[in-house]
């Protein structure tokens, strides 16, 4: 779990569902200090941003849906599709064991943002998270 | 060769340089490029045979599918594709990541 370093006053947790190489870019955003580990922030988050980073295989799909459900029990969840695999299946879009994007996995739940890249740069994640926080979450 | 160095940013298109040869479309490993063109006759005074030219109608890169390998840039015989620096083009909907020739050509003048 992470918080946005540039928005320390906004109670939003960034939960990364790291399924493949894209998750390394989420970690890199942490390494560069753009995201900070949320244990360091005392107040509980009102909103969770679930960043799906990586290839969603048919085997891992139930675990991803479960992760979303767990977060959804505690409050609103904003879903971000991070990278080509989460968006469309990426280079594996024609593989029978790979879901061609996460759109169909969360019925009735919109995907707030699609971040392009294979993998996207850490800056691309942070810029988009800042935009989502500023537009959707009252300070 | 700085234009050939993948930085996972964005691939820009110079439509005037594209001859619709389809090399990029066929080489793309993730099938993210689509290209439509038509053939026009060129009338030339004194030409020995009829000449034709390909005219680009549509060129689309689906950045929701692109794996940023740069093979399209490497293989383009006419340098109509190049890396550019922007990474900030996320979209609120899936189709917004499909960028057409107009979108892709906007990246071109920003320099590498």
């Amino acid at each position: 779990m992470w918080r946005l370093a540039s928005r320390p006053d906004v109670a939003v947790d960034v939960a990364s569902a790291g399924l493949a190489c894209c998750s390394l870019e989420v970690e890199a955003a942490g390494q560069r200090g753009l995201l900070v580990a949320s244990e360091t922030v005392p107040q509980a988050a009102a909103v969770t941003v679930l960043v799906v980073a990586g290839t969603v295989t048919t085997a891992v799909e139930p675990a991803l849906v479960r992760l979303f459900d767990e977060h959804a029990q505690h409050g609103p969840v904003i879903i971000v599709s991070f990278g080509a695999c989460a968006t469309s299946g990426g280079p594996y879009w024609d593989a029978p064991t790979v879901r061609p994007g996460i759109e169909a996995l969360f019925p009735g739940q919109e995907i707030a943002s699609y971040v392009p890249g294979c993998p996207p740069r850490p800056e691309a994640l942070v810029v988009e998270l800042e935009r989502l926080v500023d537009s959707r979450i009252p300070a | 060769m700085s234009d050939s160095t993948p930085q996972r940013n964005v691939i820009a298109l110079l439509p005037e340089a594209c001859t619709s040869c389809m090399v990029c479309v066929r080489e793309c490993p993730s099938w993210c490029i689509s290209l439509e063109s038509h053939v026009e006759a060129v009338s030339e005074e004194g030409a020995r045979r009829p000449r034709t030219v390909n005219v680009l109608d549509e060129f689309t890169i689906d950045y929701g599918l692109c794996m940023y390998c740069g093979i399209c840039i490497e293989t383009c015989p006419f340098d109509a594709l190049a890396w550019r620096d922007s990474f900030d083009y996320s979209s609120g909907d899936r189709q917004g990541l499909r960028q057409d020739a107009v979108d892709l050509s906007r990246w071109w003048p920003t320099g590498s």
Side-chain angles (χ1 to χ4, degrees):
Chain A
M1 298 286 266
W2 305 89
R3 293 276 173 103
L4 261 176
S6 58
R7 305 286 186 277
D9 301 331
V10 184
V12 57
D13 264 328
V14 180
S16 168
L19 307 170
C21 27
C22 276
S23 63
L24 297 176
E25 303 297 320
V26 179
E27 297 290 325
Q31 295 273 316
R32 293 181 190 185
L34 302 169
L35 297 176
V36 288
S38 64
E39 285 80 17
T40 60
V41 188
Q43 89 231 69
V47 180
T48 304
V49 181
L50 181 64
V51 179
V52 181
T55 321
V56 183
T57 60
T58 49
V60 88
E61 180 190 337
L64 180 61
V65 172
R66 213 158 49 234
L67 180 66
F68 169 80
D69 289 342
E70 277 169 21
H71 285 296
Q73 281 173 4
H74 299 114
V77 181
I78 296 173
I79 302 176
V80 173
S81 169
F82 186 67
C85 279
T87 300
S88 67
Y92 317 109
W93 63 268
D94 57 347
T97 52
V98 171
R99 284 276 172 261
I102 59 170
E103 218 159 12
L105 300 193
F106 310 104
Q109 184 76 26
E110 62 146 1
I111 310 296
S113 177
Y114 294 89
V115 182
C118 187
R121 299 177 65 92
E123 297 90 334
L125 173 67
V126 173
V127 163
E128 191 55 21
L129 288 176
E130 287 171 352
R131 196 174 291 135
L132 284 173
V133 166
D134 293 346
S135 66
R136 295 186 176 223
I137 300 163
Chain B
M1 294 294 284
S2 63
D3 272 3
S4 304
T5 310
Q7 299 286 337
R8 311 197 316 274
N9 286 323
V10 77
I11 295 165
L13 171 75
L14 183 63
E16 302 92 280
C18 177
T19 64
S20 314
C21 71
M22 298 290 285
V23 169
C24 57
V25 180
R26 283 180 285 163
E27 294 295 322
C28 175
S30 53
W31 294 32
C32 74
I33 306 175
S34 64
L35 190 159
E36 302 268 346
S37 66
H38 69 276
V39 177
E40 274 180 15
V42 182
S43 57
E44 240 177 284
E45 198 68 36
R48 302 256 168 110
R49 61 175 175 82
R51 295 193 182 276
T52 56
V53 63
N54 290 330
V55 179
L56 185 67
D57 293 321
E58 276 173 48
F59 187 103
T60 308
I61 296 181
D62 186 347
Y63 280 116
L65 210 50
C66 176
M67 59 189 271
Y68 296 78
C69 62
I71 288 176
C72 54
I73 296 170
E74 296 288 330
T75 55
C76 178
F78 304 99
D79 292 340
L81 293 165
W83 289 112
R84 289 295 183 261
D85 272 347
S86 180
F87 55 80
D88 186 12
Y89 50 103
S90 301
S91 171
D93 78 305
R94 170 70 185 87
Q95 290 308 309
L97 292 183
R98 290 177 56 85
Q99 298 208 350
D100 62 17
V102 176
D103 300 325
L104 294 169
S105 64
R106 281 199 196 109
W107 300 113
W108 191 272
T110 58
S112 56

